Amino acid sequence: MKLRDSPSACPSLWRSLRCPAAELRLDLVLASGQTFRWWESSPGAWTGVMGGRVWTLRQDRDRLWYTVYGEEEEDERPAEAAKLDSAEMDQILRDYFQLDVGLRGLYRTWGAADPLFQSVAKDFPGVRVLRQDPVECLLSFICTSNNHISRITTMIERLCCAFGRRLCCLDARPVHAFPSLSALTGVDAEARLRALGFGYRAKFVSGSARAVAEGLGAEGLRQLRAVPYAEARRVLCALPGVGTKVADCVCLMALDKAEAVPVDTHVWHIARQRYGAALGGRSLTPRAHQQIGDFFRGLWGPRAGWAQAVLFCADLRKGQELAGSRERAWGGRGRGNHRDGPH
């Protein structure tokens, strides 16, 4: 199957919805370590997996263009992957990018409250938080501890190829769905993950998949969207390999907790050095996590996690320019610290 990278080349296969660049910048959002399933398939075109389907997205002036690929074995696809009409596809995109949230107004509010945000954000419009599948987000961010985006992306690709259902093949590249919980709970799952290069993370990925499958289930995990932030974080932190930071990433990017502020050593240093906030002691304890999150929630308001996403993206771009491929991931530590262990 050929990639459909240009609406002008095959207009009947493309649809669009109105979305100004100030509300969404694909290049900033899809490459900023929130998700690891998208790649730039040609200049300005992003191809990836969303909702069990393969999409290519483009932006043109104030339109977001998209095309969706059919599965190779359409008779064998699960019921939830049945063919969608255009309104349903539009809604999937709106939900994934949370396009009902007006970003420009939020930027103005955050800039008025925080001069540092205002000085940075002018060069980084359209950075918004994705609303991802909770299972995929959870297991992906377990892989981010002490890691960087290039390596995480490779690990997630191996995970999907080994355990996920094949969706289609684009320009000789096979594309797979994210694995189901049941696919990752087999007795040999941890050993297979170790063989794929997951190291100590293998037991946490398979262990959390098993814990969710035997406990809440995928639907129960999704229903954490309806409980208070503190309760959702408490439930997540009880899972293997999930500490406060990874839990906050999942709360923010999958469970509708816009106030969640993922804190790593880098964010801690920003709070202390750029904002003069004397928070935390000699180490980044759970109490320090709470204090730093509360500080930013007090500064930026109820969508503090979204504001941090903008600064994180700006910092990541600067880091990429300085250090090439050694990017810092949302769930990983700052560059230069590679001590093993979950957090």
Side-chain angles (χ1 to χ4, degrees):
M1 189 182 297
K2 284 286 188 181
L3 278 164
R4 306 166 187 159
D5 279 353
S6 172
S8 60
C10 43
S12 65
L13 299 176
W14 287 78
R15 297 192 59 84
S16 72
L17 49 87
R18 188 177 183 281
C19 184
E23 290 292 331
L24 172 65
R25 277 275 302 274
L26 291 176
D27 60 322
L28 296 179
V29 174
L30 296 180
S32 64
Q34 290 191 53
T35 176
F36 308 98
R37 302 302 316 278
W38 295 88
W39 71 95
E40 194 170 15
S41 47
S42 69
W46 293 85
T47 299
V49 181
M50 173 176 52
R53 294 173 176 81
V54 184
W55 305 62
T56 293
L57 309 178
R58 267 191 178 277
Q59 287 183 283
D60 178 16
R61 294 185 295 276
D62 64 346
R63 310 294 297 180
L64 174 61
W65 292 87
Y66 67 86
T67 185
V68 183
Y69 301 86
E71 292 192 37
E72 292 173 328
E73 304 293 337
E74 296 203 358
D75 292 340
E76 298 179 10
R77 64 189 175 190
E80 62 270 21
K83 189 172 182 179
L84 300 176
D85 62 31
S86 58
E88 290 171 316
M89 290 189 288
D90 281 2
Q91 186 54 43
I92 289 173
L93 269 183
R94 290 183 183 281
D95 183 73
Y96 185 72
F97 288 108
Q98 306 201 67
L99 295 179
D100 59 323
V101 178
L103 199 58
R104 284 176 288 191
L106 288 173
Y107 268 57
R108 287 193 295 269
T109 298
W110 297 326
D114 179 5
L116 176 59
F117 178 92
Q118 189 170 36
S119 68
V120 171
K122 65 181 185 296
D123 295 323
F124 293 88
V127 177
R128 57 175 54 247
V129 172
L130 300 174
R131 190 179 196 234
Q132 302 178 56
D133 174 76
V135 169
E136 177 173 344
C137 189
L138 168 66
L139 299 181
S140 294
F141 274 92
I142 288 174
C143 298
T144 65
S145 81
N146 306 307
N147 217 339
H148 56 86
I149 292 175
S150 296
R151 185 162 180 259
I152 299 162
T153 300
T154 299
M155 290 171 67
I156 298 301
E157 180 72 7
R158 290 174 182 166
L159 175 75
C160 295
C161 288
F163 293 92
R165 178 172 52 90
R166 178 162 163 159
L167 299 174
C168 64
C169 189
L170 298 179
D171 290 350
R173 174 176 179 162
V175 186
H176 294 74
F178 196 86
S180 64
L181 287 173
S182 59
L184 293 168
T185 55
V187 293
D188 63 341
E190 180 181 339
R192 290 175 66 190
L193 288 167
R194 287 187 181 276
L196 292 173
F198 278 65
Y200 70 88
R201 302 174 190 85
K203 68 178 179 180
F204 296 138
V205 172
S206 60
S208 276
R210 186 174 300 108
V212 173
E214 295 175 355
L216 289 169
E219 185 54 34
L221 190 64
R222 183 179 298 272
Q223 289 175 2
L224 291 178
R225 289 172 172 172
V227 308
Y229 164 47
E231 172 66 9
R233 186 166 67 167
R234 183 190 66 77
V235 172
L236 291 172
C237 285
L239 297 172
V242 179
T244 305
K245 180 170 51 182
V246 170
D248 276 338
C249 288
V250 179
C251 281
L252 176 64
M253 301 174 209
L255 298 180
D256 298 342
K257 313 306 179 201
E259 71 270 40
V261 178
V263 175
D264 63 5
T265 54
H266 187 79
V267 173
W268 183 27
H269 292 150
I270 287 175
R272 299 178 74 169
Q273 295 168 10
R274 298 190 194 176
Y275 289 92
L279 302 169
R282 293 177 177 271
S283 62
L284 194 51
T285 62
R287 183 170 177 229
H289 274 267
Q290 186 67 43
Q291 290 176 338
I292 296 163
D294 287 345
F295 169 79
F296 284 118
R297 282 184 282 274
L299 177 64
W300 293 324
R303 289 193 179 273
W306 283 56
Q308 192 213 357
V310 180
L311 297 188
F312 183 94
C313 182
D315 181 71
L316 180 65
R317 284 299 175 103
K318 184 186 296 183
Q320 289 170 335
E321 292 170 3
L322 294 174
S325 63
R326 295 295 294 180
E327 314 102 321
R328 184 171 61 89
W330 274 87
R333 295 187 183 273
R335 290 179 296 275
N337 187 336
H338 308 292
R339 188 178 66 221
D340 286 346
H343 48 279

